[in-house]
Amino acid sequence: MTNAEIADVFDQIADLLEFQGANPFRVRAYRNAARTLRELTESLEQMVYNSPDSLTQISGIGADLAEKISTLVKTGTLPLLEELRQQVPMGVLEVMRVPGLGPKRAAALYRELGISSLEQLREACMAQKVRELPGFGAKTEEKILQGIELAAEAGRRTLWAIADQLVQNILTHMKQCKEVGTIEPAGSYRRGKETVGDLDFLVITRKPAVVMDHFSRLDGIAQELARGDTKMSVRLALGIQVDVRVVPEESFGAALQYFTGSKAHNVVLRGLAKDRGLKINEYGVFRGERRIAGRTEQEVYGALDLPWFPPELREAREEFQWAAAGQLPVLVELADLKGDLHVHSDWTDGQNSLEEMAEAARQRGLQYLAIADHSKRVSMAHGLDADRLRRQWEEIDRLNEKWKNFQLLKSIEVDILEKGGLDLPDKVLAEADWVVASVHYGQNQSREQITKRVVEALSHPAVSVFAHPTGRLLNERPPYAIDLEAVLEAAKKYGKMIELNAHPARLDLDDVGCAAARKMGVLVVISTDAHSISGLDALRYGVLQARRGGLSRQHVANTRPWPELKRLLGRS
Ligand code: DGT
Ligand code: CA
Ligand code: CA
Ligand code: ZN
């Protein structure tokens, strides 16, 4: 059991106790314990087996909680948890997790309206019964409905990074079958969309039945949904559906084009074909009965006098205008990136030392790395005050003597405070190479309020970039109410940059935001926000998103060597 899993159990106990109206001090003890355990660097499991006495030395963990941690590690569950689960209807846990609710409000909904499932909650909102409860109101009711929508959707779409692992597994499995000639993933996965609904594969084979039999032996299939002569669909245990289609070799390009989509892109394409008296479908491009293209995507697009479009651009946004002008952009690539400008270390909530992070970045071919640990306001992460920050910078100076073609940058992820203003004195910020500003608190402020404090932060001379600009967490948290256009305008005005946070659950800016920055002339910085060495590998997800936004290397700040980037910041 990982520390995070143990912390989750304690959080769940706190939720369930609070739902029951238990003593608030008892509730808080579990919540605080969960937070402490989540931040602990040593493994609880190892402590339980190697030095159980040391558990009580963790702050906030007394004999009782230590005992519970041991039981959890050894048995995988707790009598208390099982007991609470018996007492509280299962669906209530889901109701609690709807944004804007929580245990207390879930309890009121249960007590007053008998609501113990998302479906019942939705019905009660639709019937406008929820707004009548004390402390709820029409606006809350509306918010709850949106929250249910989000919670329902959360189960439906898979993060691209997870889909990618599945795709690689499936490809490896399928290539073990010698009857599989060619196999390619299509759909939203191929377009690099940040979440995918289902996976679509196309196969060329002379023996479809053999290929489908082989596919049905893939590990992790929960259910076979459908099987015909040329198409098979299954549901994986993880919940995602996978479609495999067998297509003839002479139509492969047309099928790949068609099933890559997007639907909107294909609609425009069909219109363009029609204008020329042609017909396009998954079998090819036809003049009358005669197929004039279909074997490759190049051939299919070529038959319509169009260039081959990188799949990331196929959303019917700007790609057809670019093609008409003969100016398809050359999109940014992973190899273009020369540095990562937002990572954390074990000075705050990261897992690796400065040196470990630096060596890992060097191994990945980067020339610079900005250590942007949290500032003090983010107390949960042991954020840095001016003294600790300066000590970190001294260590960075020492480390930098080691390397010739690599540099650690002195940086900070400074919090934009709820009331406006930055979390560290101007004097300290002025000494940094690179200042990342971000919002962690007051995320629920009104559009005016949150936009104002971000615009103000961008006007600060020391700030370099605004990080994870909308705060969204895919499947978990919607964007802040922020006015992105106003933020981009401010960035433009003050010569600041905007981050595309490459964490697979953030990808914030999204593709549309990236395109907006490009059109406004604001440079985008692709950074990982890595909290460990492996987090550095997320750069590629960011690159995919940037490409979806139509960004070329010149639109991305960290394709430049550091000295050049520094000149752009006016900090030479
Ligand atoms: P997803 O799976 O929801 O993330 O999105 P996609 O884009 O992968 O959509 P999906 O799996 O329904 O279909 C894959 C592609 O096949 C889609 O992008 C376009 C094409 N396609 C599927 N059904 C239709 C359709 O009814 N009309 C048109 N024009 N294209 C379709
Ligand atoms: Ca799909
Ligand atoms: Ca599909
Ligand atoms: Zn960060």
Side-chain angles (χ1 to χ4, degrees):
M1 237 184 171
T2 64
N3 292 5
E5 284 165 339
I6 295 168
D8 284 348
V9 169
F10 282 5
D11 263 336
Q12 213 178 92
I13 289 175
D15 284 346
L16 292 168
L17 285 173
E18 197 173 355
F19 177 83
Q20 289 188 328
N23 179 336
F25 291 105
R26 192 165 168 223
V27 173
R28 190 163 339 131
Y30 280 104
R31 263 201 226 299
N32 288 345
R35 187 188 301 167
T36 308
L37 299 183
R38 204 167 270 123
E39 290 166 10
L40 200 69
T41 43
E42 303 94 75
S43 153
L44 286 164
E45 190 166 303
Q46 278 174 27
M47 287 170 81
V48 165
Y49 289 116
N50 300 336
S51 56
D53 291 343
S54 61
L55 286 171
T56 48
Q57 279 156 32
I58 304 171
S59 81
I61 304 296
D64 174 58
L65 287 175
E67 172 79 43
K68 290 207 162 65
I69 294 172
S70 289
T71 311
L72 249 180
V73 165
K74 288 175 182 157
T75 69
T77 184
L78 281 180
L80 172 63
L81 179 67
E82 296 305 318
E83 200 180 302
L84 287 168
R85 281 181 176 158
Q86 294 283 319
Q87 292 163 1
V88 179
M90 278 308 285
V92 159
L93 275 173
E94 278 182 309
V95 171
M96 275 184 217
R97 280 190 213 108
V98 170
L101 287 184
K104 282 216 185 84
R105 290 188 140 179
L109 289 165
Y110 182 64
R111 197 174 55 235
E112 304 295 329
L113 301 172
I115 290 170
S116 63
S117 75
L118 285 184
E119 203 35 55
Q120 289 167 347
L121 179 58
R122 187 201 306 270
E123 280 166 18
C125 286
M126 301 289 258
Q128 309 201 337
K129 284 186 191 150
V130 171
R131 63 175 66 186
E132 261 137 46
L133 298 184
F136 278 81
K139 228 173 147 187
T140 316
E141 193 177 72
E142 204 173 294
K143 250 192 136 165
I144 293 174
L145 266 178
Q146 282 171 5
I148 298 173
E149 217 60 48
L150 200 80
E153 203 185 19
R156 280 208 302 268
R157 298 190 68 84
T158 303
L159 296 188
W160 190 91
I162 292 170
D164 185 45
Q165 289 173 11
L166 297 173
V167 165
Q168 301 315 322
N169 287 344
I170 292 171
L171 288 175
T172 305
H173 172 76
M174 293 304 283
K175 283 173 180 169
Q176 283 161 2
C177 173
K178 64 182 195 310
E179 295 301 336
V180 171
T182 298
I183 177 163
E184 289 289 343
S188 54
Y189 167 78
R190 183 166 178 243
R191 301 199 309 281
K193 201 168 154 60
E194 60 266 61
T195 61
V196 307
D198 70 0
L199 295 174
D200 307 279
F201 287 90
L202 300 175
V203 178
I204 302 179
T205 180
R206 266 171 289 180
K207 304 238 171 84
V210 175
V211 169
M212 288 184 192
D213 285 342
H214 182 79
F215 178 53
S216 68
R217 289 193 292 273
L218 175 77
D219 277 344
I221 292 183
Q223 191 190 358
E224 208 170 291
L225 298 172
R227 178 167 171 172
D229 292 339
T230 60
K231 186 186 164 191
M232 180 166 166
S233 296
V234 303
R235 183 171 304 286
L236 301 184
L238 284 172
I240 193 171
Q241 181 177 329
V242 186
D243 297 340
V244 173
R245 289 183 177 81
V246 171
V247 300
E249 196 167 353
E250 63 275 15
S251 295
F252 189 76
L256 186 57
Q257 194 291 312
Y258 180 88
F259 290 109
T260 294
S262 64
K263 247 171 225 173
H265 176 91
N266 288 356
V267 166
V268 175
L269 209 60
R270 259 202 307 278
L272 291 176
K274 210 169 161 200
D275 292 345
R276 287 155 192 264
L278 301 173
K279 200 180 92 194
I280 181 170
N281 58 28
E282 62 266 52
Y283 299 104
V285 181
F286 297 84
R287 172 168 287 128
E289 294 294 294
R290 199 168 68 87
R291 186 202 327 258
I292 61 169
R295 190 167 291 268
T296 66
E297 279 195 328
Q298 280 82 356
E299 205 181 276
V300 168
Y301 283 116
L304 303 173
D305 292 318
L306 289 168
W308 178 85
F309 294 97
E312 297 93 326
L313 289 181
R314 302 183 192 174
E315 299 290 344
R317 296 212 179 104
E318 294 166 89
E319 73 269 28
F320 291 106
Q321 282 141 263
W322 281 328
Q327 285 175 337
L328 222 50
V330 178
L331 301 178
V332 64
E333 290 177 18
L334 182 58
D336 293 330
L337 297 188
K338 300 206 161 51
D340 187 335
L341 288 162
H342 179 174
V343 308
H344 295 265
S345 75
D346 60 5
W347 282 66
T348 60
D349 60 346
Q351 284 170 25
N352 293 98
S353 67
L354 299 178
E355 189 165 9
E356 286 164 347
M357 291 302 284
E359 289 299 345
R362 263 160 50 88
Q363 274 166 22
R364 284 161 177 76
L366 298 181
Q367 298 169 7
Y368 51 92
L369 185 71
I371 301 293
D373 271 320
H374 292 287
S375 63
K376 61 184 192 295
R377 174 66 179 89
V378 190
S379 48
M380 277 189 358
H382 314 293
L384 304 178
D385 58 18
D387 281 350
R388 284 180 69 215
L389 183 58
R390 285 205 169 98
R391 264 185 284 143
Q392 185 189 58
W393 288 350
E394 281 164 23
E395 185 172 342
I396 287 177
D397 279 335
R398 269 197 302 281
L399 285 167
N400 272 335
E401 285 170 22
K402 281 181 38 174
W403 302 298
K404 243 195 162 146
N405 297 313
F406 180 83
Q407 190 182 349
L408 277 181
L409 302 180
K410 291 182 252 181
S411 181
I412 180 77
E413 178 175 8
V414 66
D415 218 65
I416 301 173
L417 300 171
E418 292 98 312
K419 289 184 180 145
L422 300 175
D423 190 26
L424 284 167
D426 294 353
K427 206 162 137 268
V428 184
L429 294 175
E431 293 166 27
D433 293 317
W434 174 260
V435 174
V436 178
S438 64
V439 167
H440 290 105
Y441 298 92
Q443 298 189 7
N444 292 325
Q445 288 177 354
S446 71
R447 189 171 171 88
E448 292 72 36
Q449 239 178 331
I450 199 163
T451 305
K452 182 163 173 273
R453 65 178 164 127
V454 169
V455 166
E456 185 193 274
L458 284 168
S459 77
H460 190 289
V463 168
S464 315
V465 67
F466 176 47
H468 40 74
T470 76
R472 74 167 178 178
L473 286 178
L474 294 167
N475 289 340
E476 272 180 49
R477 190 171 77 200
Y480 328 127
I482 199 163
D483 180 349
L484 192 61
E485 202 181 335
V487 167
L488 288 171
E489 268 163 16
K492 178 70 189 164
K493 177 168 164 197
Y494 300 113
K496 303 303 164 76
M497 303 178 190
I498 196 103
E499 182 181 271
L500 159 45
N501 190 295
H503 189 287
R506 286 191 182 269
L507 292 167
D508 178 15
L509 292 181
D510 66 4
D511 51 348
V512 176
C514 286
R518 163 169 53 78
K519 288 181 208 166
M520 202 97 82
V522 173
L523 284 175
V524 172
V525 178
I526 304 178
S527 293
T528 60
D529 205 352
H531 283 67
S532 66
I533 285 171
S534 61
L536 294 169
D537 293 324
L539 271 183
R540 69 188 188 102
Y541 309 129
V543 170
L544 210 49
Q545 184 84 337
R547 291 168 64 88
R548 287 173 56 74
L551 302 197
S552 302
R553 60 189 296 180
Q554 78 265 20
H555 301 122
V556 178
N558 49 326
T559 58
R560 293 161 178 78
W562 171 244
E564 200 182 319
L565 185 51
K566 197 165 144 184
R567 273 197 299 280
L568 278 177
L569 283 172
R571 290 196 177 198
S572 43

